[in-house]
Amino acid sequence: MSAPRGDQAVKIMRSSLGQARGMGSAKSGLGHWRAQRLTAMALLPLSLYFVLSVFLLEGADQAAMLRYMAEPWNGVLFIALILALFYHLQLGLQVVIEDYIHSEGKRLASLFAMRAGVALFGLLGLLSVLKLTF
Amino acid sequence: MQDVREALMQGRNSTGKLVQRPLSPHLQVYKPQISSTLSIFHRISGVALAGGAVLLSLWLTAAATSPHAFALAQSLVDSIVGMLVLIGFTLALFYHFCNGIRHLLWDVGYGFDLPTMHRTGAIVLAASAGLTIVVWIIGLVVL
């Protein structure tokens, strides 16, 4: 059993704020962690489905692509793939940026630029699948 | 100083000059191991696949634009350079896929001991190479 925080064997003569500083952010780490794992689990079957689709669409022209995406299951699975994929890669790139860019200003600017790019290309893929589906 | 923890990392070198101690792992003196190497591969393959996702979006956009645009996209995919890029993405995808399963197993507490960790690492390398070869044999020879 670990002792509660107030009864530490070695008393640290520092204020609560002084102890908390530099110990981590206590913001939304668990939400990020959980979302990364959930999207990872979703992407396991979806990425295998994507590889299968690439086989089925090998050498396809646009008409074949339209026929493929018009099948409801293919449309739905491609939309699910785009959503899970872009959510997952946004979470991953966020950690990479946070790890390597130490200046607060540059880090925030990079995160903003990355999220703007991810949102644009994710929406582009999503709209394209929807257009092919209908 | 950008981080309060840096205050704990001051030291003096052999000439007595005040210097900043390096953060561990200090890559210039850290011996590459299967654990750290596969870990950074996971990150590199993930960043590469983010680029692949952008290309996937553009490929779908070409299909949604016009028959001509999609024919152009498919001709790029079928070119030698396009195929080499796709082989790279296939390997990155299967590596990230297999090592991702390894990460999920760690998350539920399986495989933390060193012998298991080394064995699953070797399995991940063999499986991602094997899957890439099988997929390309099917794509080029069978279909």
Side-chain angles (χ1 to χ4, degrees), chain A residues 33-100:
Chain A
W33 187 91
R34 188 156 45 198
Q36 195 168 39
R37 268 73 189 168
L38 286 174
T39 50
M41 285 188 277
L43 283 168
L44 290 179
L46 287 172
S47 56
L48 292 181
Y49 162 77
F50 173 67
V51 172
L52 176 74
S53 297
V54 172
F55 276 138
L56 296 173
L57 289 164
E58 191 173 291
D61 57 3
Q62 199 221 16
M65 191 77 173
L66 283 168
R67 275 197 305 278
Y68 189 78
M69 293 295 179
E71 298 283 341
W73 273 113
N74 289 329
V76 164
L77 287 173
F78 256 87
I79 289 167
L81 171 71
I82 299 275
L83 291 175
L85 175 63
F86 277 86
Y87 191 11
H88 185 78
L89 74 87
Q90 187 276 129
L91 293 168
L93 290 178
Q94 178 195 337
V95 177
V96 173
I97 289 171
E98 286 171 348
D99 278 357
Y100 299 137

